[in-house]
Amino acid sequence: MTKYLFLTKGGSWFPGWATRELTGAGMWNWVRAFKGDYKLLRTLDPSNIQGELEKYDIVHVNLSGDDTALPGLLRNKLGRSSTKLICNMDYNIENFQRHVLGAGYTIHDLVSSFLSSDLVFAQEPFQQSFVQYIIDEDAALAEAAGKPSKRMNVPLIPHPINMDLKKKAVPSDQRLEILLIDFHRYDNQLLVPSLLTRALPIINGLAPNVIIGGYTGEVNIFGIKDKLFDGAMDYTDWGQFVYLLMNSCWGLSYYSIHSHDRFAAEAACLKVPTVTTRNSYYGTVLWPDLCKEMTDLKGLRESLKRIITDDKFYEETAEKA
């Protein structure tokens, strides 16, 4: 059996996600998938880091701002080892400059981390294209200057989804007639989701539109939420999030930036038809009949109307996802 280690310099929040009974989609599921270990760098024996790392077949690093330089450090310790060093990009590319460059790292630092690894993977196509581009450009510049270069292919490997979430699905006729909107803390979209979801007719009146904050961290929905939505929760923990989603009839995940989109994946597990933009990778894969360009507001609105009014399409789309 493959021995797996997820290693980070920080990430005190991680163990709860990796070990709790039920989780959604996200990088913490790699630990669950491999039945592996999670460790903080400071817990390793500083006199024998190589030995501790070589207990594992795979050492995995998530390239958050704190851990951007970690692959280079680990490569210096491992050398030419049979232990494979794997890393993935963390942030969506639109926020990359804030979380990585803003933390003091350069593009060259990032490429050095990539090239220190045996495998670099991305979670969605735009991220994949970005990483591949900067690796190829770095190699081309080195070759033009007559310097050694290294190239590597960047595969698209979304983080795992815990399929046990499917067990929580509520029969559609027992759900509340609520349209649940995921608030994305990285692009802070409020106005467009509100306009898309307001005054959608249902048998008993109008569908309430409720927006919730992301369960992975506290978000601020400014001071205008009550003017735009029938209900709003600034922050939800995982239990609240799942309860609300599994008991809602419809979902909306409006991304103006690129993401693999956990909400769209978790909604699919719970059979809650969800309209997304094409910036959502899981939206394009799991909800292709509901997915539109972010600028196609009429098309997005029509998708919402269809899952509200067409019961046969509602059930077929949910089952397909």
Side-chain angles (χ1 to χ4, degrees):
M1 183 174 179
T2 301
K3 295 181 179 179
Y4 169 96
L5 171 66
F6 187 97
L7 188 66
T8 177
K9 291 168 65 178
S12 58
W13 52 269
F14 194 98
W17 284 103
T19 58
R20 67 176 58 195
E21 180 181 355
L22 185 66
T23 63
M27 64 183 177
W28 39 78
N29 284 321
W30 288 113
V31 176
R32 299 168 67 96
F34 282 104
K35 296 181 171 60
D37 293 334
Y38 161 85
K39 290 184 179 180
L40 298 175
L41 180 63
R42 65 175 180 270
T43 65
L44 301 183
D45 179 357
S47 66
N48 187 32
I49 290 180
Q50 180 178 359
E52 292 217 39
L53 295 176
E54 288 185 333
K55 295 176 184 177
Y56 299 93
D57 301 302
I58 295 173
V59 176
H60 182 185
V61 175
N62 175 59
L63 291 180
S64 63
D66 289 341
D67 289 340
T68 298
L70 188 53
L73 171 65
L74 299 181
R75 176 55 63 200
N76 287 337
K77 298 296 183 181
L78 281 170
R80 291 181 172 273
S81 173
S82 61
T83 296
K84 300 302 181 185
L85 180 57
I86 295 174
C87 70
N88 67 270
M89 282 291 289
D90 185 14
Y91 304 106
N92 47 10
I93 298 307
E94 290 88 346
N95 281 280
F96 168 80
Q97 61 187 16
R98 170 187 170 190
H99 294 286
V100 178
L101 300 184
Y105 297 105
T106 66
I107 292 291
H108 180 73
D109 293 331
L110 188 64
V111 174
S112 294
S113 290
F114 293 155
L115 300 183
S116 296
S117 307
D118 294 294
L119 174 69
V120 180
F121 68 93
Q123 287 80 63
E124 52 88 13
F126 184 53
Q127 189 186 70
Q128 178 189 30
S129 176
F130 175 86
V131 175
Q132 190 69 67
Y133 174 79
I134 62 174
I135 288 174
D136 290 346
E137 283 297 296
D138 186 81
L141 290 171
E143 291 161 4
K147 298 178 180 179
S149 66
K150 181 180 178 180
R151 296 178 182 269
M152 61 195 312
N153 291 323
V154 180
L156 174 62
I157 307 176
H159 292 317
I161 303 168
N162 184 359
M163 299 303 287
D164 285 345
L165 191 60
K166 293 176 67 174
K167 299 174 184 177
K168 297 292 184 180
V170 173
S172 58
D173 60 354
Q174 297 178 25
R175 297 174 188 162
L176 300 174
E177 290 187 322
I178 290 175
L179 200 164
L180 197 66
I181 306 159
D182 190 28
F183 175 75
H184 303 307
R185 67 191 188 278
Y186 285 147
D187 63 351
N188 295 324
Q189 289 289 333
L190 289 171
L191 179 59
V192 174
S194 171
L195 294 173
L196 289 173
T197 58
R198 70 178 180 178
L200 285 164
I202 56 177
I203 293 175
N204 298 318
L206 301 177
N209 61 348
V210 178
I211 191 165
I212 60 172
Y215 58 82
T216 55
E218 189 171 0
V219 296
N220 175 23
I221 308 185
F222 314 122
I224 59 173
K225 60 186 180 184
D226 295 331
K227 300 176 183 178
L228 298 177
F229 303 98
D230 297 309
M233 297 181 67
D234 290 355
Y235 170 73
T236 54
D237 65 23
W238 171 244
Q240 290 174 313
F241 171 84
V242 172
Y243 184 81
L244 284 166
L245 181 55
M246 73 188 197
N247 284 291
S248 297
C249 278
W250 315 283
L252 172 66
S253 180
Y254 183 85
Y255 261 114
S256 62
I257 58 180
H258 294 82
S259 175
H260 70 298
D261 193 358
R262 286 191 295 264
F263 184 90
E266 289 152 359
C269 287
L270 295 169
K271 293 188 176 181
V272 177
T274 295
V275 174
T276 78
T277 69
R278 294 197 187 281
N279 290 348
S280 161
Y281 173 66
Y282 278 133
T284 63
V285 173
L286 301 173
W287 306 107
D289 297 327
L290 301 176
C291 188
K292 306 294 181 183
E293 295 294 340
M294 61 170 281
T295 55
D296 184 7
L297 303 187
K298 183 176 180 180
L300 290 163
R301 175 83 171 183
E302 289 302 315
S303 289
L304 288 168
K305 288 181 179 178
R306 188 175 183 189
I307 57 175
I308 289 174
T309 60
D310 188 334
D311 292 342
K312 184 173 184 291
F313 176 72
Y314 179 98
E315 297 294 345
E316 290 175 350
T317 303
E319 188 64 36
K320 180 180 177 180

